[in-house]
Amino acid sequence: MKIIYYGHSTFLIETSTHRLLIDPFLTGNPQATTTAAEISCDYILLSHGHEDHTADAAEIARANQATIIANYEIAEYFSSQGLTTHGMNPGGGFDFPFGRVALTPAIHTSSLNAGANPIYLGTACGIVIEAEGKRIYHAGDTALFSDMKLIGRHGLDLALLPIGDNFTMGPADALDALDFLAPKLAVPMHFNTWPPITQDAAAFAQAAAARQRAVKVLSPGQSLKI
Ligand code: NI
Ligand code: MN
């Protein structure tokens, strides 16, 4: 299957039958090379409520008649806007037409409009997707936590991990996450979007290689196949 990176934590997974968009943040993303109007997808998976993970979810869901998969509170929030949603919670999995999705814990917050009029939208999650014999973990925004060992215990073909620091784990903790998760391949995300999360992803990949961990750095618009 093909994994396309759109910058920040936004990825599109193309199976032979479905297109799964994760954490769409194109509008307002200074690194984005694609617009929300250019995306076509069948499902939209959201790790938590923050705007830099949900900004384009409603527009893209509406334009594509896509189903939003997220924690229960986020699902209800978008359902109240007339969108099709499927609510879940950490520890739970569900078999969709394209494969299985399970939400995992993440250590982070989950709100919208955090400044003036915050809406709290449940707990932040990670997302495990099993499709066509591959298992992919999108960590969302999270700190390092030792239960990542549980997330990796059945094997991971790909892990999408934040390395930006400040709002999430930084490169040093992400290296330890690689040891806990032991994925066949990891792609860093949630870095270089704004100055506080500037990181040297190539140096992260090099440090990972020294630990026998494979990391591929993608620029917005680039893709890989697993
Ligand atoms: Ni966040
Ligand atoms: Mn974020």
Short mmCIF file of all heavy atoms in Angstrom, two decimals, residues 8 48 52-53 141 190, ligand 2:
data_model
loop_
_atom_site.label_atom_id
_atom_site.label_comp_id
_atom_site.label_asym_id
_atom_site.label_seq_id
_atom_site.Cartn_x
_atom_site.Cartn_y
_atom_site.Cartn_z
N HIS A 8 3.23 17.92 8.66
CA HIS A 8 2.79 17.87 10.06
C HIS A 8 2.44 16.42 10.43
O HIS A 8 3.33 15.57 10.37
CB HIS A 8 1.63 18.84 10.30
CG HIS A 8 1.52 19.26 11.73
ND1 HIS A 8 2.56 19.87 12.41
CD2 HIS A 8 0.51 19.15 12.63
CE1 HIS A 8 2.18 20.11 13.66
NE2 HIS A 8 0.94 19.68 13.82
N HIS A 48 -6.85 13.30 17.79
CA HIS A 48 -7.35 14.14 18.88
C HIS A 48 -7.91 15.43 18.31
O HIS A 48 -7.88 15.63 17.09
CB HIS A 48 -6.28 14.38 19.95
CG HIS A 48 -5.08 15.18 19.49
ND1 HIS A 48 -4.19 14.68 18.56
CD2 HIS A 48 -4.63 16.41 19.82
CE1 HIS A 48 -3.24 15.58 18.36
NE2 HIS A 48 -3.48 16.64 19.09
N ASP A 52 -4.52 21.48 14.65
CA ASP A 52 -3.46 21.05 13.74
C ASP A 52 -3.57 19.55 13.41
O ASP A 52 -2.66 18.98 12.80
CB ASP A 52 -2.06 21.39 14.30
CG ASP A 52 -1.76 20.73 15.62
OD1 ASP A 52 -2.64 20.72 16.51
OD2 ASP A 52 -0.63 20.21 15.79
N HIS A 53 -4.72 18.94 13.80
CA HIS A 53 -5.00 17.54 13.44
C HIS A 53 -6.40 17.38 12.85
O HIS A 53 -6.71 16.34 12.29
CB HIS A 53 -4.83 16.63 14.66
CG HIS A 53 -3.44 16.67 15.19
ND1 HIS A 53 -2.51 15.69 14.94
CD2 HIS A 53 -2.79 17.64 15.89
CE1 HIS A 53 -1.34 16.03 15.47
NE2 HIS A 53 -1.49 17.22 16.06
N ASP A 141 -0.32 12.88 18.74
CA ASP A 141 0.58 13.68 19.57
C ASP A 141 0.72 12.94 20.89
O ASP A 141 -0.28 12.65 21.54
CB ASP A 141 -0.01 15.07 19.84
CG ASP A 141 0.12 16.01 18.66
OD1 ASP A 141 0.67 15.61 17.62
OD2 ASP A 141 -0.36 17.16 18.80
N HIS A 190 5.21 15.80 12.79
CA HIS A 190 4.99 16.85 13.80
C HIS A 190 6.28 17.59 14.14
O HIS A 190 6.62 17.80 15.31
CB HIS A 190 4.37 16.24 15.08
CG HIS A 190 3.43 17.17 15.81
ND1 HIS A 190 3.86 18.07 16.75
CD2 HIS A 190 2.09 17.35 15.73
CE1 HIS A 190 2.82 18.74 17.22
NE2 HIS A 190 1.73 18.33 16.61
MN MN B 2 -0.34 18.65 17.29
#
